[in-house]
Amino acid sequence: MPRVFNFSAGPAIIPEEVLRRAASEMTDYNGTGMSVMEMSHRSKEYIAVYEGVERKLRAAMSVPANYKILFLQGGATMQFSAVPMNLLSRKGKADYAVTGFFAKKAFKCAQMYGNIRAAVDTGNYYAIPAREEISVDPDASYFHFCHNNTVYGTRWPTLPETGDVPLVCDMSSSILSEPIDVSKFGVIYAGAQKNMGPAGLTVVIVRDDLLDVAPLPGTPDLMTYKSQAENDSMINTPATYGIYLLGLVLDWLEEQGGTAAMAAHNGQKAKLIYGAVEQSPVFTCKVEPRSRSVMNAVFSSDSDETDAKFIKEAAGRGMVTLKAHRATGGIRASMYNAMPLEGAKTLAKLIEEFKA
Ligand SMILES: *Cc1c(COP(=O)(O)O)cnc(C)c1O
């Protein structure tokens, strides 16, 4: 079976070159006679892998020296708890921008830990709120937002402005897709399964001074940023293979020209899809143009049957996993870094040809 164009929102497409390299190293990594999967996380060989990945991620995102990079488990969803547990005691309250499915989940989850306020919740998740719609409490412990809303297909066109209030960002579906200025953030976290590799690994990037905030009583050691930072994310066994695979993805990213080249590549793909939808008599995109996600294009016709017919037709042409999340219905084309331009061209062509 030839490779398909996999438009899954996550777990998602991984560059074919990365998969082939992983396969070639599967039973004998670098002359060790074993797979990375079989190595002790404390072994000299694995520590070298780990340190290499940390170095590559730091370089790829230009992470400043006063930030720690943690390689954790539990997904972005565990960070919905870890963030308030680690940071809420700073001022005893926090602000959340409720702009979509996961942003709302993070907001709801945080409420379990204390005084959590919606700095904005327009109820319309097909647009990112304008600056005037957002009220920032200057005395909040942090301001939480989701950079790219995977389900509704929106992305913050500019970062929220919060003054001295640290920005905490769920970047699960846009990390590494474009250059970002890490120094503007207090914490960035992301599950790996969208743009960084297989599920099971969660990257957390945290500014040093925030490691000194006292965690809420009862915060497990595994969820405490400071403990993880002091133990190089190895309080227990980390997601060793996922970390290794992230290293291969980062090698691939560098060969492609890094995040700047990715931004251009991703922009081109998104333009093809949104352009085709704009021209189509069948499909529309509900997302306001300035808020449109580059990673996840969500669109639909006016009938579920037509959408289903399109998804079936696409599968026949080697394009799979186009069914959108149940919260929106319709079609969602997730085009992470690894989606080739050819995938977007093939999909745009079908959108143009498709008759209801
Ligand atoms: C996929 C996703 C999540 C959930 O990630 P898990 O790793 O499954 O916990 C959270 N936030 C965003 C923005 C996502 O895209």
Side-chain angles (χ1 to χ4, degrees), residues 5-214:
F5 292 122
N6 179 9
F7 288 92
S8 170
I13 185 168
I14 291 175
E16 186 171 347
E17 297 92 315
V18 167
L19 296 175
R20 293 202 183 282
R21 185 166 157 203
S24 78
E25 297 177 342
M26 182 58 76
T27 58
D28 174 18
Y29 174 74
N30 200 21
T32 57
M34 62 172 98
S35 171
V36 173
M37 246 184 260
E38 301 171 293
M39 282 178 189
S40 162
H41 58 296
R42 311 266 181 215
S43 65
K44 178 165 84 10
E45 290 83 2
Y46 188 75
I47 297 291
V49 171
Y50 179 92
E51 289 177 350
V53 177
E54 204 268 353
R55 188 168 25 79
K56 286 173 204 172
L57 184 57
R58 197 172 280 281
M61 294 182 68
S62 306
V63 178
N66 63 323
Y67 285 74
K68 293 283 185 299
I69 302 178
L70 310 178
F71 296 101
L72 308 180
Q73 301 188 52
T77 305
M78 198 167 88
Q79 294 306 311
F80 296 169
S81 296
V83 165
M85 285 177 130
N86 280 277
L87 302 180
L88 196 54
S89 82
R90 230 183 126 249
K91 304 273 188 178
K93 51 185 175 165
D95 274 358
Y96 278 66
V98 183
T99 58
F101 184 85
F102 289 111
K104 190 167 194 164
K105 274 195 158 185
F107 169 65
K108 290 249 153 95
C109 181
Q111 284 176 326
M112 217 167 347
Y113 302 97
N115 186 359
I116 304 294
R117 190 182 71 110
V120 63
D121 183 354
T122 58
N124 164 21
Y125 299 141
Y126 291 107
I128 295 296
R131 193 171 304 169
E132 313 79 72
E133 292 174 85
I134 305 167
S135 76
V136 178
D137 175 357
D139 207 32
S141 298
Y142 59 88
F143 180 99
H144 181 280
F145 75 111
C146 178
H147 182 241
N148 182 79
N149 293 283
T150 322
V151 170
Y152 289 87
T154 66
R155 166 186 170 278
W156 286 72
T158 55
L159 296 182
E161 283 168 26
T162 59
D164 291 334
V165 178
L167 278 181
V168 173
C169 183
D170 178 355
M171 214 177 269
S172 294
S173 52
S174 55
I175 195 164
L176 297 176
S177 69
E178 59 179 300
I180 56 138
D181 182 355
V182 174
S183 74
K184 292 216 154 71
F185 296 82
V187 174
I188 293 170
Y189 64 88
Q193 69 272 24
K194 315 296 170 48
N195 238 345
M196 294 191 290
L201 169 65
T202 311
V203 169
V204 178
I205 302 173
V206 50
R207 204 173 64 208
D208 278 347
D209 59 291
L210 296 174
L211 297 175
D212 293 326
V213 178

